mmCIF file of all heavy atoms in Angstrom:
data_model
loop_
_atom_site.group_PDB
_atom_site.id
_atom_site.type_symbol
_atom_site.label_atom_id
_atom_site.label_comp_id
_atom_site.label_asym_id
_atom_site.label_seq_id
_atom_site.Cartn_x
_atom_site.Cartn_y
_atom_site.Cartn_z
ATOM 1 N N GLU A 10 -12.767 -8.605 0.557
ATOM 2 C CA GLU A 10 -12.311 -9.737 1.320
ATOM 3 C C GLU A 10 -12.369 -9.489 2.829
ATOM 4 O O GLU A 10 -12.738 -10.335 3.675
ATOM 5 C CB GLU A 10 -10.903 -10.298 0.909
ATOM 6 C CG GLU A 10 -10.833 -10.734 -0.508
ATOM 7 C CD GLU A 10 -11.634 -11.978 -0.855
ATOM 8 O OE1 GLU A 10 -11.764 -12.841 0.017
ATOM 9 O OE2 GLU A 10 -12.144 -12.043 -1.910
ATOM 10 N N ALA A 11 -11.923 -8.250 3.189
ATOM 11 C CA ALA A 11 -11.930 -7.847 4.647
ATOM 12 C C ALA A 11 -13.361 -7.744 5.218
ATOM 13 O O ALA A 11 -13.664 -8.128 6.332
ATOM 14 C CB ALA A 11 -11.131 -6.510 4.830
ATOM 15 N N ARG A 12 -14.217 -7.267 4.349
ATOM 16 C CA ARG A 12 -15.653 -7.224 4.770
ATOM 17 C C ARG A 12 -16.289 -8.596 4.966
ATOM 18 O O ARG A 12 -16.975 -8.733 5.952
ATOM 19 C CB ARG A 12 -16.485 -6.421 3.757
ATOM 20 C CG ARG A 12 -16.114 -4.911 3.812
ATOM 21 C CD ARG A 12 -16.792 -4.204 2.640
ATOM 22 N NE ARG A 12 -18.290 -4.218 2.881
ATOM 23 C CZ ARG A 12 -19.231 -3.906 1.954
ATOM 24 N NH1 ARG A 12 -18.855 -3.547 0.790
ATOM 25 N NH2 ARG A 12 -20.458 -3.955 2.351
ATOM 26 N N LYS A 13 -15.984 -9.496 4.086
ATOM 27 C CA LYS A 13 -16.531 -10.827 4.176
ATOM 28 C C LYS A 13 -15.962 -11.591 5.427
ATOM 29 O O LYS A 13 -16.729 -12.285 6.129
ATOM 30 C CB LYS A 13 -16.157 -11.669 2.973
ATOM 31 C CG LYS A 13 -16.937 -11.308 1.772
ATOM 32 C CD LYS A 13 -16.854 -12.428 0.637
ATOM 33 C CE LYS A 13 -15.504 -12.241 -0.025
ATOM 34 N NZ LYS A 13 -15.351 -13.072 -1.271
ATOM 35 N N SER A 14 -14.654 -11.383 5.786
ATOM 36 C CA SER A 14 -14.035 -12.190 6.833
ATOM 37 C C SER A 14 -14.068 -11.383 8.171
ATOM 38 O O SER A 14 -13.653 -11.985 9.211
ATOM 39 C CB SER A 14 -12.655 -12.606 6.410
ATOM 40 O OG SER A 14 -11.845 -11.476 6.202
ATOM 41 N N GLY A 15 -14.238 -10.137 8.106
ATOM 42 C CA GLY A 15 -14.155 -9.328 9.341
ATOM 43 C C GLY A 15 -12.731 -9.084 9.687
ATOM 44 O O GLY A 15 -12.386 -8.758 10.880
ATOM 45 N N SER A 16 -11.809 -9.248 8.756
ATOM 46 C CA SER A 16 -10.396 -9.158 9.011
ATOM 47 C C SER A 16 -9.826 -7.626 8.964
ATOM 48 O O SER A 16 -10.401 -6.812 8.431
ATOM 49 C CB SER A 16 -9.584 -9.909 7.982
ATOM 50 O OG SER A 16 -9.938 -11.253 8.046
ATOM 51 N N LYS A 17 -8.802 -7.457 9.612
ATOM 52 C CA LYS A 17 -8.037 -6.137 9.613
ATOM 53 C C LYS A 17 -7.375 -6.060 8.285
ATOM 54 O O LYS A 17 -6.913 -7.075 7.702
ATOM 55 C CB LYS A 17 -7.051 -6.072 10.733
ATOM 56 C CG LYS A 17 -6.290 -4.812 10.767
ATOM 57 C CD LYS A 17 -5.327 -4.776 11.964
ATOM 58 C CE LYS A 17 -4.672 -3.450 12.138
ATOM 59 N NZ LYS A 17 -3.920 -3.452 13.394
ATOM 60 N N LEU A 18 -7.285 -4.911 7.638
ATOM 61 C CA LEU A 18 -6.647 -4.705 6.391
ATOM 62 C C LEU A 18 -5.382 -3.896 6.574
ATOM 63 O O LEU A 18 -5.342 -2.845 7.157
ATOM 64 C CB LEU A 18 -7.535 -4.039 5.404
ATOM 65 C CG LEU A 18 -7.087 -3.844 3.914
ATOM 66 C CD1 LEU A 18 -6.772 -5.260 3.313
ATOM 67 C CD2 LEU A 18 -8.189 -3.139 3.154
ATOM 68 N N LEU A 19 -4.252 -4.471 6.125
ATOM 69 C CA LEU A 19 -2.952 -3.730 6.129
ATOM 70 C C LEU A 19 -2.568 -3.402 4.761
ATOM 71 O O LEU A 19 -2.325 -4.326 3.861
ATOM 72 C CB LEU A 19 -1.889 -4.715 6.795
ATOM 73 C CG LEU A 19 -0.485 -4.173 6.819
ATOM 74 C CD1 LEU A 19 -0.370 -2.847 7.503
ATOM 75 C CD2 LEU A 19 0.451 -5.198 7.395
ATOM 76 N N VAL A 20 -2.532 -2.111 4.421
ATOM 77 C CA VAL A 20 -2.235 -1.575 3.147
ATOM 78 C C VAL A 20 -0.705 -1.202 3.074
ATOM 79 O O VAL A 20 -0.238 -0.466 3.987
ATOM 80 C CB VAL A 20 -3.027 -0.355 2.756
ATOM 81 C CG1 VAL A 20 -2.702 0.231 1.427
ATOM 82 C CG2 VAL A 20 -4.525 -0.622 2.916
ATOM 83 N N ILE A 21 -0.021 -1.819 2.141
ATOM 84 C CA ILE A 21 1.407 -1.637 1.988
ATOM 85 C C ILE A 21 1.651 -0.871 0.729
ATOM 86 O O ILE A 21 1.377 -1.362 -0.384
ATOM 87 C CB ILE A 21 2.227 -2.923 2.004
ATOM 88 C CG1 ILE A 21 2.051 -3.679 3.283
ATOM 89 C CG2 ILE A 21 3.701 -2.591 1.850
ATOM 90 C CD1 ILE A 21 2.579 -3.041 4.566
ATOM 91 N N ASN A 22 2.282 0.395 0.791
ATOM 92 C CA ASN A 22 2.655 1.157 -0.338
ATOM 93 C C ASN A 22 4.062 1.681 -0.006
ATOM 94 O O ASN A 22 4.256 2.489 0.856
ATOM 95 C CB ASN A 22 1.751 2.341 -0.525
ATOM 96 C CG ASN A 22 2.231 3.347 -1.603
ATOM 97 O OD1 ASN A 22 2.653 4.389 -1.245
ATOM 98 N ND2 ASN A 22 2.170 2.872 -2.873
ATOM 99 N N SER A 23 5.107 1.071 -0.741
ATOM 100 C CA SER A 23 6.438 1.295 -0.366
ATOM 101 C C SER A 23 7.245 1.937 -1.498
ATOM 102 O O SER A 23 6.908 2.056 -2.622
ATOM 103 C CB SER A 23 7.081 0.017 0.019
ATOM 104 O OG SER A 23 7.202 -0.897 -1.108
ATOM 105 N N SER A 24 8.426 2.444 -1.125
ATOM 106 C CA SER A 24 9.394 3.037 -2.039
ATOM 107 C C SER A 24 10.723 2.550 -1.584
ATOM 108 O O SER A 24 11.043 2.425 -0.354
ATOM 109 C CB SER A 24 9.342 4.529 -2.012
ATOM 110 O OG SER A 24 10.332 5.053 -2.904
ATOM 111 N N LYS A 25 11.646 2.287 -2.580
ATOM 112 C CA LYS A 25 13.002 1.937 -2.184
ATOM 113 C C LYS A 25 13.860 3.026 -1.593
ATOM 114 O O LYS A 25 14.857 2.878 -1.052
ATOM 115 C CB LYS A 25 13.781 1.420 -3.428
ATOM 116 C CG LYS A 25 13.348 0.004 -3.869
ATOM 117 C CD LYS A 25 14.242 -0.400 -5.026
ATOM 118 C CE LYS A 25 14.030 -1.868 -5.367
ATOM 119 N NZ LYS A 25 14.868 -2.262 -6.433
ATOM 120 N N GLY A 26 13.350 4.211 -1.567
ATOM 121 C CA GLY A 26 14.021 5.354 -0.996
ATOM 122 C C GLY A 26 13.874 6.667 -1.784
ATOM 123 O O GLY A 26 14.338 7.705 -1.327
ATOM 124 N N ASP A 27 13.253 6.563 -2.991
ATOM 125 C CA ASP A 27 13.100 7.710 -3.756
ATOM 126 C C ASP A 27 11.674 8.197 -3.766
ATOM 127 O O ASP A 27 11.023 8.528 -4.854
ATOM 128 C CB ASP A 27 13.676 7.494 -5.169
ATOM 129 C CG ASP A 27 13.019 6.198 -5.807
ATOM 130 O OD1 ASP A 27 12.253 5.528 -5.155
ATOM 131 O OD2 ASP A 27 13.336 5.900 -7.005
ATOM 132 N N ALA A 28 11.064 8.223 -2.662
ATOM 133 C CA ALA A 28 9.600 8.472 -2.550
ATOM 134 C C ALA A 28 9.114 9.779 -3.084
ATOM 135 O O ALA A 28 8.050 9.928 -3.616
ATOM 136 C CB ALA A 28 9.150 8.438 -0.970
ATOM 137 N N LEU A 29 10.084 10.742 -3.118
ATOM 138 C CA LEU A 29 9.626 12.055 -3.705
ATOM 139 C C LEU A 29 9.454 12.096 -5.189
ATOM 140 O O LEU A 29 8.746 12.935 -5.695
ATOM 141 C CB LEU A 29 10.740 13.139 -3.336
ATOM 142 C CG LEU A 29 10.877 13.492 -1.850
ATOM 143 C CD1 LEU A 29 12.004 14.387 -1.543
ATOM 144 C CD2 LEU A 29 9.549 13.999 -1.285
ATOM 145 N N VAL A 30 10.098 11.145 -5.849
ATOM 146 C CA VAL A 30 9.943 11.043 -7.321
ATOM 147 C C VAL A 30 9.376 9.733 -7.786
ATOM 148 O O VAL A 30 9.369 9.503 -8.997
ATOM 149 C CB VAL A 30 11.255 11.327 -7.965
ATOM 150 C CG1 VAL A 30 11.765 12.698 -7.857
ATOM 151 C CG2 VAL A 30 12.382 10.354 -7.597
ATOM 152 N N ASP A 31 9.037 8.875 -6.860
ATOM 153 C CA ASP A 31 8.527 7.519 -7.148
ATOM 154 C C ASP A 31 7.038 7.643 -7.399
ATOM 155 O O ASP A 31 6.238 7.879 -6.549
ATOM 156 C CB ASP A 31 8.843 6.566 -6.083
ATOM 157 C CG ASP A 31 8.438 5.112 -6.332
ATOM 158 O OD1 ASP A 31 7.803 4.891 -7.315
ATOM 159 O OD2 ASP A 31 8.808 4.246 -5.488
ATOM 160 N N ASN A 32 6.533 7.441 -8.706
ATOM 161 C CA ASN A 32 5.167 7.674 -9.008
ATOM 162 C C ASN A 32 4.360 6.443 -8.535
ATOM 163 O O ASN A 32 3.110 6.489 -8.613
ATOM 164 C CB ASN A 32 4.972 7.878 -10.528
ATOM 165 C CG ASN A 32 5.411 6.707 -11.386
ATOM 166 O OD1 ASN A 32 5.925 5.729 -10.916
ATOM 167 N ND2 ASN A 32 5.092 6.858 -12.628
ATOM 168 N N ARG A 33 4.966 5.428 -8.048
ATOM 169 C CA ARG A 33 4.218 4.316 -7.449
ATOM 170 C C ARG A 33 4.054 4.479 -5.916
ATOM 171 O O ARG A 33 3.415 3.686 -5.274
ATOM 172 C CB ARG A 33 4.955 3.048 -7.772
ATOM 173 C CG ARG A 33 4.953 2.748 -9.275
ATOM 174 C CD ARG A 33 5.716 1.534 -9.719
ATOM 175 N NE ARG A 33 5.117 0.293 -9.311
ATOM 176 C CZ ARG A 33 4.093 -0.315 -9.924
ATOM 177 N NH1 ARG A 33 3.599 0.231 -10.935
ATOM 178 N NH2 ARG A 33 3.661 -1.501 -9.480
ATOM 179 N N TYR A 34 4.588 5.485 -5.356
ATOM 180 C CA TYR A 34 4.502 5.831 -3.916
ATOM 181 C C TYR A 34 3.342 6.839 -3.786
ATOM 182 O O TYR A 34 3.359 8.030 -4.380
ATOM 183 C CB TYR A 34 5.767 6.403 -3.376
ATOM 184 C CG TYR A 34 5.940 6.585 -1.935
ATOM 185 C CD1 TYR A 34 6.035 5.442 -1.146
ATOM 186 C CD2 TYR A 34 5.806 7.721 -1.262
ATOM 187 C CE1 TYR A 34 6.181 5.417 0.252
ATOM 188 C CE2 TYR A 34 5.920 7.813 0.101
ATOM 189 C CZ TYR A 34 6.127 6.651 0.896
ATOM 190 O OH TYR A 34 6.267 6.737 2.211
ATOM 191 N N ALA A 35 2.233 6.517 -3.058
ATOM 192 C CA ALA A 35 1.110 7.381 -2.885
ATOM 193 C C ALA A 35 1.500 8.667 -2.173
ATOM 194 O O ALA A 35 2.154 8.661 -1.131
ATOM 195 C CB ALA A 35 -0.024 6.579 -2.188
#
């Protein structure tokens, strides 16, 4: 989508605060 529109891409990967053990936090 960003390539087609020439838009900037904002990637959000968050954690509620347990980032060290949160397997959904990159």
